[in-house]
Amino acid sequence: DVCSSDLVHYPSVSDSSLALFDPPSKEQLILSVGRFFKHLHNKKQKELIETFIKLQQSCPAYAKYRLVVAGGLKAEDQEYFDELKSLAQAHPSVTLLANAPFDSLQQLYKRAEFFWHMTGLGVDQELHPEQVEHFGITPLEAMAAGCVVCAYNAGGPREIIQNTRTGYLFDNPEQLIEQMTQLSLEKNNERRQVSQAAHDYVKREFSITSFQKHLFDDIITS
């Protein structure tokens, strides 16, 4: 009985996400995508913005970079969004983008050099596993588009990112800043390698074709 088996199938990434891979289109842009809300597994946008500000202050190589924090916003979460706007208002390199059209979001994935994901930061995942990232479809979409993904080392991202090969995992904001500083010294070589490896990995393991094959093979062998 397939329905009662222990088989787990991760979701797939669309072909349109994989088609966004275009290394020459990359800009000095860091992207983060996730719903704006405070409860449950919130995306830690406040901490993310604060870390970006510290990165710009400590590493001149990122002085001209922009941070775009995009995501869905519901009326009941407007107060939280307003808090983020207050935090970012003195920093013109930070843009908050609520309920962006799909095409605009796709272009951001295509153009972003880095993708940051902080869900679960500061959470005891043994006591509150529901507060870390469950799977992490946005980091996977970013990898498909060739972004260099830096994600908090917990939950789904820990399973789908091979640290230093297809992306980077960090345990705290200070470590993220250290990783970004080191990457700024690599003269793009490591970044290009990780970007290509991430895209290839997602195409191989998480494409719709791969999902269908894995599902069919497991049904046949069950």
Side-chain angles (χ1 to χ4, degrees), residues 13-111:
V13 169
S14 68
D15 291 338
S16 63
S17 292
L18 288 163
L20 296 173
F21 183 68
D22 183 21
S25 297
K26 294 302 182 185
E27 301 176 5
Q28 292 180 319
L29 172 63
I30 299 172
L31 176 65
S32 183
V33 177
R35 180 183 159 192
F36 294 102
F37 67 126
K38 267 189 172 181
H39 55 285
L40 296 177
H41 59 300
N42 78 82
K43 306 305 178 182
K44 302 292 182 178
Q45 287 104 337
K46 177 177 180 292
E47 292 82 355
L48 194 147
I49 294 169
E50 291 172 339
T51 301
F52 175 72
I53 293 170
K54 290 179 181 177
L55 174 65
Q56 285 198 312
Q57 293 171 343
S58 64
C59 186
Y62 293 103
K64 294 183 179 180
Y65 272 70
R66 296 182 298 120
L67 171 68
V68 175
V69 184
L73 177 64
K74 295 184 177 181
E76 61 263 33
D77 300 307
Q78 185 64 48
E79 182 178 350
Y80 173 60
F81 188 72
D82 289 341
E83 291 177 13
L84 297 177
K85 286 198 297 184
S86 295
L87 175 63
Q89 66 181 359
H91 303 278
S93 56
V94 178
T95 299
L96 299 177
L97 201 56
N99 300 324
F102 180 72
D103 289 346
S104 297
L105 194 58
Q106 292 286 84
Q107 285 303 307
L108 286 171
Y109 276 119
K110 182 176 182 177
R111 289 157 39 207

Side-chain angles (χ1 to χ4, degrees), residues 1 21 52 93 102 132 137-138 164-167 184 208 216:
D1 184 351
F21 183 68
F52 175 72
S93 56
F102 180 72
V132 303
I137 193 66
T138 56
T164 73
R165 293 185 61 191
T166 60
S184 75
I208 293 176
F216 180 77

Side-chain angles (χ1 to χ4, degrees), residues 64 85 102 114-115 124 150 171 173 211:
K64 294 183 179 180
K85 286 198 297 184
F102 180 72
F114 293 98
F115 184 93
D124 186 330
C150 300
D171 295 317
F211 176 84

